[in-house]
Amino acid sequence: MSRVYPFDDAATARAVIDDDGTLVEWNEGARRLLGHPAEAVVGRPAARLLAADGPGAAPPGPRWEGTVGLRHRDGRTVPVWLLAHRRPPDDGRPGDWLVVTPLTGPEPRAADDPLVEAGLIQSPCPVALYDDALRLRFMNAAMADIIGLPEDRVRGLRIPEIGGKPQSDDLEQGMLRVLTSGHRLDVQTFLRTGGEDRAHAWLARMAPVRDAGGRVRGVCLAAHDVTDNQRARQRLQLVNEASVRIGTTLDVTRTAQELADMCVPALADFVTIDLLDLREHGSEPPARITAPVLLRRTAHQSVLAGVPEAVIEPGQADAYPDFSPQADALTAGRTITTSVVTGDMDRWHSWHRARGERVRAFGIHSSMSVPIQARGLTLGVAVLTRHRRPDGFTPDDVLLAEEITARAAVCIDNARRYSRERETAIALQRSLLPRSLPRTAALDASSRYLPAARAGVGGDWFDVIPLSGLRVAMVVGDVVGHGIQASATMGRLRTAVRTLADIDLAPDELLTHLDDLVLRLSEESGVEGSPGEVGATCLYAVYDPVSRRCTLARAGHPPPVLLRPGGPPAVLDLPAGPPLGLGGLPFESAEVELPEGTVLALYTDGLVQSRERDLDASRELLLAALGQGADSLDSTCDRALHALLPPGGAADDVALLLARTRGLPPSQVATWDIPADPALVAPVRKQVVEQLAAWSLSEASFTAELVVSELVTNAIRYGSHPIRLRLIHDATTLICEVSDTSHTAPHLRRAKVLDEGGRGLLLVAQLTQRWGSRHTTEGKTIWAELPLFEVDR
């Protein structure tokens, strides 16, 4: 199907020849030139129109021009200058050759032609004038240089016929708008003209040409090379894009990969990011780099799938000698550009044969090594190479690479500093947390601690603390904030809880003392007289396996979950209490009975707080995870974490403590009410010996008899009635407890030689594994523990 043109095309002889040499189009101008009608030549070989001396094969390249002898219908040979354009396949149309020649070229110009008068013959700006049929009437020498064709040869052709490119059609459409509207128009395009070796960015400024009467007689087109401006805009856009795309996380490897991705293919075909191996230099990069330099590959990227140019993989380290581009750039502290043509890389590639083989295999011809520097420290080097792009690196490329690398270097240094602080905080945190939970007769316990994936290590902690009377304390807490300061504060609070637990304070009293400590820590952390902002939450519980009751109190902490044997898990209704650090507000304890085998779950808010769901939904997931089966506590911990935490890790620290209670059988507890008469201590000792015999603990009778005698005698002498003696034993320990209603605490005294008393508690301390006292609501209890096995010393 013939193309339809908006103007009379008889002034141009035009033909289209397909790839097999058949004429497929023949216009009226061609008939005028050679006399052959279209029906006589279309569909036949174009070679039949050639004289004997004409070319016999398709010309090479995308364009050809020259004079050819053609056969006229009347048999004579007509020498014709032809311009041929190779047009690739497009939109289902096969490839072909467009062949044109003007028929109006030899016509002389009129002396009063306004188009000629408007021409800027000596202008350095390329200018061309087109008539009202949009055919070339004049162009100056600058335009002829750009097109690569003389003006007298292409006069009378339209822009698509001169250029033969899709962009030429866009330019002609713009000229048509100017011709019909009479208004100026600017058109931007990117193409390679006939006189250029590579494509340029052009701004075509079009203006109507008018005669003396104001009538539009044609269009003036002035071409401006705006390649430099466009490159400047592209570079600015690339720098702006780099500030957005690089440094999205505080991860060194991810940031280095973002730098490599940013440079490919915008600046290079293959990019490697190698950072200094800080394990050789310590935690900080050295102030001065010396060769050889040990670098670790952190990231790389390529225009080729799989990065086949790489010799080493990310994570691997390699040493770079002083003549390598990497070491040269690092020691000099500036960008180094090298090329294969100049021989700058010959020594390096001959020394490292694997790299030399890759250079030859992929045709790498240029390299640019840019130091990665931030805050006066050198962190590594980015190496950019080219093999697909034929041009080498320009000074503008160096400036752009340095700008992008400088922005990335700050992000890498921030990530490095964050990673170092996070690793330090994690190490501190884990050193302060219990490495293993103590084995007690009261319960089995399992725990998990996970640092925050992104926000940094916080101040979550947990602990299991054995108390007197086979009781055990469980604690979970959370310090507000993240980082080393939060971990240090956590360590102080955990130590304080252990100290307060040793004096057997009730849970509400312990939290009151802990609240005072947090207030003091806030004052200490203040600056210039201003108080700091140290805050924390805590849950403290004490379980007694004899009574099988648990006393709990919390300070702004999430309530625990109870899973009684045979029942569903449920959140324990426990008074919330204020967070630690507010001061002056009371805490309230609650007591619950826990059947043997009850699972108690204590956790920090990092386990149940999530951006993807609300708090109630998270608690439902926790209840479901805890209630799935009576398997081990370890597997239950893992199941709960898997159900509630995202694959990438929690946004906050997570501490989880699971405890399954045990009960002490009544057969392992014996209790006596002690009369106020000191003379009746002997019968009590006898009863104790008989009870130990019934328990098959006769080997401990002698020591137990002495300890009971001293504790009961002291209670009768210095305490208040009623007085009660209780013996408790498990597999390894015998516990003697004497309780009275006096709140006066006993203490060791240094007895003199002639003193008759004052040695009782000293004797108890020497005979027992440990001893102490605890206050109760009725008074106090003095207790002592005796081992039921020989302790290795």
Side-chain angles (χ1 to χ4, degrees):
M1 183 177 181
S2 299
R3 295 176 174 83
V4 178
Y5 295 91
F7 306 102
D8 177 20
D9 63 343
T12 298
R14 183 177 60 256
V16 176
I17 306 172
D18 63 14
D19 285 338
D20 62 4
T22 302
L23 272 167
V24 294
E25 284 188 29
W26 186 263
N27 77 335
E28 177 62 20
R31 188 200 64 79
R32 289 173 53 191
L33 177 64
L34 298 179
H36 300 285
E39 59 271 15
V41 294
V42 172
R44 299 182 182 184
R48 293 183 179 180
L49 297 175
L50 296 175
D53 56 349
R63 191 181 78 175
W64 179 87
E65 57 90 12
T67 301
V68 178
L70 301 178
R71 295 185 184 275
H72 196 273
R73 186 180 183 185
D74 58 13
R76 58 189 172 90
T77 299
V78 180
V80 181
W81 180 85
L82 297 178
L83 176 60
H85 301 286
R86 176 70 175 93
R87 301 189 300 185
D90 182 37
D91 235 352
R93 173 183 62 78
D96 55 28
W97 285 87
L98 171 64
V99 183
V100 296
T101 187
L103 301 182
T104 57
E107 297 178 2
R109 300 191 185 98
D112 59 347
D113 191 343
L115 297 179
V116 177
E117 294 176 358
L120 301 177
I121 300 175
Q122 296 183 2
S123 171
C125 176
V127 176
L129 298 174
Y130 292 82
D131 59 19
D132 53 2
L134 295 187
R135 294 188 178 278
L136 180 67
R137 296 292 297 274
F138 167 78
M139 66 178 178
N140 64 1
M143 182 66 80
D145 290 340
I146 291 177
I147 295 178
L149 296 169
E151 187 252 0
D152 59 344
R153 290 295 189 182
V154 295
R155 190 184 311 125
L157 295 181
R158 293 166 34 229
I159 278 190
E161 298 166 343
I162 298 173
K165 295 180 173 60
Q167 296 92 329
S168 303
D169 294 326
D170 297 335
L171 291 174
E172 187 176 59
Q173 290 298 318
M175 293 172 62
L176 181 60
R177 290 173 58 187
V178 174
L179 189 67
T180 56
S181 67
H183 298 296
R184 295 173 178 267
L185 180 67
D186 291 345
V187 176
Q188 290 190 1
T189 186
F190 189 82
L191 56 84
R192 183 178 69 86
T193 66
E196 296 183 309
D197 57 353
R198 60 179 179 175
H200 279 208
W202 293 95
L203 173 63
R205 315 206 75 165
M206 306 173 186
V209 178
R210 305 176 187 271
D211 58 15
R215 178 186 173 190
V216 177
R217 298 290 302 278
V219 177
C220 175
L221 184 149
H224 302 275
D225 188 349
V226 294
T227 304
D228 291 340
N229 293 338
Q230 186 187 52
R231 288 179 178 174
R233 287 195 300 269
Q234 290 176 343
R235 295 176 189 279
L236 180 60
Q237 181 181 359
L238 194 62
V239 171
N240 292 336
E241 188 178 354
S243 63
V244 176
R245 289 177 51 186
I246 300 176
T248 59
T249 65
L250 286 172
D251 181 80
V252 173
T253 302
R254 176 71 178 275
T255 304
Q257 188 63 55
E258 290 169 346
L259 171 58
D261 295 343
M262 190 74 233
C263 294
V264 174
L267 269 173
D269 301 322
F270 172 49
V271 173
T272 62
I273 309 298
D274 298 317
L275 300 182
L276 289 172
D277 194 346
L278 297 184
R279 283 178 288 187
E280 182 186 15
H281 303 285
S283 60
E284 283 292 321
R288 183 173 177 270
I289 306 296
T290 57
V293 185
L294 184 63
L295 298 174
R296 188 170 297 277
R297 176 65 48 83
T298 307
H300 56 209
Q301 187 55 279
S302 171
V303 294
L304 304 178
V307 196
E309 307 98 322
V311 176
I312 61 175
E313 296 299 320
Q316 296 179 345
D318 200 1
Y320 294 83
D322 55 358
F323 50 81
S324 64
Q326 292 87 339
D328 195 6
L330 290 175
T331 55
R334 57 181 176 83
T335 301
I336 301 295
T337 57
T338 56
S339 67
V340 173
V341 176
T342 58
D344 299 331
M345 298 186 289
D346 291 348
R347 184 182 179 190
W348 165 233
H349 292 158
S350 61
W351 182 81
H352 201 296
R353 293 184 178 180
R355 282 186 169 86
E357 292 174 357
R358 299 294 172 91
V359 167
R360 291 186 291 272
F362 293 98
I364 296 175
H365 57 81
S366 300
S367 173
M368 173 168 52
S369 302
V370 185
I372 302 175
Q373 299 172 323
R375 301 182 178 94
L377 295 176
T378 300
L379 308 176
V381 62
V383 180
L384 293 75
T385 57
R386 287 180 177 176
H387 54 77
R388 176 176 291 181
R389 296 174 58 170
D391 51 321
F393 291 105
T394 65
D396 287 340
D397 293 330
V398 173
L399 292 176
L400 179 58
E402 290 176 343
E403 177 69 19
I404 295 176
T405 304
R407 292 179 179 237
V410 175
C411 298
I412 291 175
D413 191 49
N414 289 339
R416 179 188 65 84
R417 290 168 180 260
Y418 166 78
S419 298
R420 183 186 62 183
E421 180 176 341
R422 187 172 188 271
E423 291 171 359
T424 303
I426 289 177
L428 175 61
Q429 182 91 342
R430 295 195 182 279
S431 68
L432 296 174
L433 291 174
R435 296 187 177 181
S436 60
L437 299 178
R439 302 183 62 180
T440 67
L443 50 81
D444 296 319
S446 181
S447 63
R448 293 292 186 274
Y449 168 74
L450 295 178
R454 294 174 295 275
V457 179
D460 292 16
W461 91 91
F462 61 89
D463 212 345
V464 174
I465 308 170
L467 302 177
S468 63
L470 296 183
R471 296 170 307 124
V472 64
M474 295 163 284
V475 58
V476 171
D478 184 2
V479 175
V480 176
H482 296 86
I484 295 178
Q485 185 62 40
S487 297
T489 301
M490 177 276 290
R492 300 178 72 174
L493 294 183
R494 178 173 178 256
T495 302
V497 169
R498 277 191 161 268
T499 302
L500 296 172
D502 282 344
I503 60 176
D504 262 318
L505 291 179
D508 54 340
E509 295 181 14
L510 183 143
L511 292 182
T512 300
H513 286 279
L514 205 60
D515 185 45
D516 294 338
L517 173 61
V518 173
L519 283 174
R520 290 194 298 272
L521 293 178
S522 295
E523 294 175 358
E524 293 175 3
S525 66
V527 179
E528 295 181 358
S530 301
E533 296 182 356
V534 176
T537 64
C538 185
L539 171 63
Y540 185 77
V542 176
Y543 172 68
D544 187 347
V546 177
S547 65
R548 301 182 183 182
R549 301 189 68 82
C550 184
T551 306
L552 308 94
R554 64 185 178 120
H557 202 81
V561 174
L562 286 183
L563 177 60
R564 291 184 170 89
V571 177
L572 181 61
D573 186 11
L574 187 65
L580 299 173
L582 297 182
L585 299 177
F587 300 95
E588 185 177 352
S589 294
E591 189 175 70
V592 294
E593 185 173 353
L594 302 182
E596 185 171 4
T598 298
V599 175
L600 185 65
L602 287 71
Y603 55 91
T604 56
D605 57 8
L607 182 65
V608 293
Q609 287 185 349
S610 172
R611 296 179 180 177
E612 289 77 22
R613 56 182 178 269
D614 58 25
L615 185 59
D616 292 336
S618 294
R619 284 179 176 167
E620 289 298 326
L621 288 177
L622 177 59
L623 295 178
L626 295 176
Q628 282 186 14
D631 48 3
S632 68
L633 294 180
D634 276 340
S635 60
T636 303
C637 281
D638 294 335
R639 185 170 62 244
L641 296 180
H642 179 75
L644 280 98
L645 301 184
D652 195 5
D653 281 23
V654 174
L656 174 63
L657 176 63
L658 297 184
R660 181 179 285 119
T661 62
R662 297 176 182 173
L664 199 66
S667 60
Q668 294 181 228
V669 181
T671 305
W672 296 273
D673 290 328
I674 305 300
D677 187 358
L680 299 179
V681 174
V684 172
R685 292 201 303 266
K686 182 179 179 182
Q687 292 177 2
V688 168
V689 172
E690 293 173 352
Q691 183 61 59
L692 294 180
W695 284 342
S696 300
L697 300 177
S698 298
E699 293 183 1
S701 296
F702 177 75
T703 303
E705 187 177 1
L706 290 177
V707 171
V708 167
S709 177
E710 291 296 334
L711 295 182
V712 169
T713 301
N714 279 346
I716 294 175
R717 286 182 178 179
Y718 308 111
S720 301
H721 292 81
I723 300 173
R724 176 169 295 180
L725 168 66
R726 186 170 72 165
L727 296 184
I728 307 170
H729 86 90
D730 65 352
T732 60
T733 307
L734 175 65
I735 301 172
C736 304
E737 294 183 345
V738 176
S739 303
D740 65 77
T741 57
S742 172
H743 292 279
T744 304
H747 61 277
L748 288 174
R749 291 193 303 161
R750 181 180 178 182
K752 298 178 181 179
V753 176
L754 299 178
D755 289 345
E756 296 183 1
R759 298 179 177 84
L761 289 181
L762 180 61
L763 179 63
V764 170
Q766 294 295 320
L767 294 176
T768 60
Q769 182 173 274
R770 63 181 190 137
W771 75 281
S773 66
R774 65 175 182 269
H775 290 278
T776 64
T777 55
E778 297 84 8
K780 69 175 182 297
T781 297
I782 312 299
W783 55 270
E785 293 183 1
L786 286 73
L788 297 180
F789 56 90
E790 186 67 22
V791 180
D792 295 332
R793 299 188 183 277

